[in-house]
Amino acid sequence: MESLLTLLTDIRACTACAEHLPFGPRPVVVANTAAKILIIGQAPGTRVHQTGIPWNDPSGDRLRQWLAIGREQFYADPRLAIMPMGFCYPGKGRSGDLPPRKECAPLWHARLLAQMPNVELVLLIGQYAQGYYLRDGFKTLAERVQQHPLKDRYFPLPHPSPRNQLWLKRNPWFDSDVLPCLQARVRTILELK
Ligand code: SF4
């Protein structure tokens, strides 16, 4: 049977879409068999690619605020895992970073999930993660985030990028109604006070 260590070694050696990556492969993934909360975002940006540290940018700062978790715990707690839709920086497009590479999630996600049997909550951040894991027919992110059952294993969220400021302004219910539920679930799962 495959071990998590072997799997992570395979992922680090992956070159499946290397010819499309401007800086070459540098998969950024955090997995642990003790994981209870799994964060599925898009793909590393340049800063994350350079440091190899996931969510090490203003989006990460906002995500930690949403979860009410400090930076230290975010990186040290083995109950938190991070598995983007594309593990390597995909390059720049006309309006920001390119989408995560399509090859990545089908290659690695199911195998990583099999190594994390204790996951209770999966945060689906942004359209790519939601499109891959949810077949709910919602046309807009706002509809999905507002109407998805708050107690479900999957928890869809907008991207916490500063570029999403307008969306957050237009949808004040996200701060007032969704975030308290998210924080309560995180507190319960991580047994925080
Ligand atoms: S993005 Fe994914 S599939 Fe492509 S090289 Fe990196 S790990 Fe492999």
Side-chain angles (χ1 to χ4, degrees), residues 13-90:
C14 180
T15 56
C17 66
E19 73 270 29
H20 302 290
L21 304 174
F23 303 152
R26 186 178 193 188
V28 180
V29 180
V30 177
N32 198 303
T33 49
K36 291 190 166 185
I37 298 176
L38 173 62
I39 299 166
I40 306 185
Q42 263 171 228
T46 45
R47 186 159 157 193
V48 172
H49 173 86
Q50 279 153 10
T51 59
I53 304 171
W55 295 102
N56 182 28
D57 53 15
S59 299
D61 293 337
R62 178 174 271 154
L63 176 63
R64 287 181 278 276
Q65 268 176 20
W66 285 356
L67 302 176
I69 290 179
R71 189 179 166 89
E72 201 177 318
Q73 179 171 18
F74 186 81
Y75 289 114
D77 195 326
R79 296 169 299 175
L80 293 167
I82 298 168
M83 179 179 82
M85 288 303 294
F87 296 170
C88 304
Y89 172 63

Side-chain angles (χ1 to χ4, degrees), residues 111-144:
R111 287 167 70 185
L112 273 168
L113 277 165
Q115 299 291 333
M116 297 189 280
N118 301 310
V119 168
E120 294 173 36
L121 176 63
V122 180
L123 306 180
L124 299 173
I125 298 181
Q127 55 163 321
Y128 299 106
Q130 289 160 23
Y132 192 77
Y133 282 95
L134 301 176
R135 303 270 185 264
D136 52 17
F138 286 124
K139 287 203 177 73
T140 67
L141 177 77
E143 269 179 57
R144 175 179 294 125

